[in-house]
Amino acid sequence: MPDGELTASIGRARQAVAVLASPPLRAAVVSGGTLDQRTAASVAAFDWLGDDGPDSTVLGRTTKDLQRLQGPAALLEFGRIERMPVPEDQRHPVSVRIIGIVGDRLGRARPVSERELNAAIAMFCADVAIVRRVAVDLGVLERTDDGAAYRFTR
């Protein structure tokens, strides 16, 4: 799925959630209630909403896109991370998630060599060293006593 289609599906999902969360929006979309001019202009831009109400085909496609995004194959459909976020509060969760997936795939019971770990991380992120370093700093990975391998701690 191209990034533009993914962005559109996520945007539609956000719009649908906004409609569900707002009684005036919900009333306008479901039963043709009135909206102020600004909100009406926003609603008119919803590509999933036609004159007859919500377009089930477009919303169905959006649902499928979001389900694919949540599945394990999503990593194969979307490019790997070329630049890690700079702020720690963004970089740390991404690094921990990558190491979690790598641990699930390699198995957590045995130590893995740095070479094997780097190859697995590289499937998800270009900056292997930073992901590995963050994971060690946060205690998600630890080096073996001889420094030749890593163990998953979680």
Side-chain angles (χ1 to χ4, degrees), residues 29-64:
V29 169
V30 174
S31 59
T34 58
L35 294 172
D36 61 63
Q37 188 175 14
R38 181 173 165 244
T39 307
S42 295
V43 170
F46 292 176
D47 67 350
W48 54 271
L49 189 59
D51 294 336
D52 298 330
D55 183 331
S56 60
T57 302
V58 173
L59 290 178
R61 197 169 53 245
T62 298
T63 300
K64 286 180 184 175

Side-chain angles (χ1 to χ4, degrees), residues 98-129:
I98 290 170
I99 292 298
I101 294 168
V102 167
D104 290 346
R105 293 186 178 178
L106 294 179
R108 297 171 189 276
R110 66 177 178 86
V112 294
S113 70
E114 184 169 326
R115 183 176 181 191
E116 183 180 13
L117 181 65
N118 286 349
I121 293 170
M123 293 177 69
F124 305 101
C125 178
D127 197 344
V128 171

Side-chain angles (χ1 to χ4, degrees), residues 110-112 114 117 132 136 141-144 149-152:
R110 66 177 178 86
V112 294
E114 184 169 326
L117 181 65
R132 194 182 61 239
V136 169
L141 280 177
E142 61 183 26
R143 288 192 84 146
T144 57
Y150 290 84
R151 284 190 185 94
F152 296 93

Side-chain angles (χ1 to χ4, degrees), residues 91-93 95-96 133-141 153-154:
R91 184 177 61 245
H92 287 183
S95 297
V96 169
R133 190 174 320 120
V134 166
V136 169
D137 290 349
L138 295 176
V140 178
L141 280 177
T153 62
R154 300 182 199 169

Side-chain angles (χ1 to χ4, degrees), residues 1-12 65 78:
M1 169 188 337
D3 287 344
E5 290 178 34
L6 176 63
T7 301
S9 287
I10 291 171
R12 273 187 218 100
D65 289 347
F78 308 106

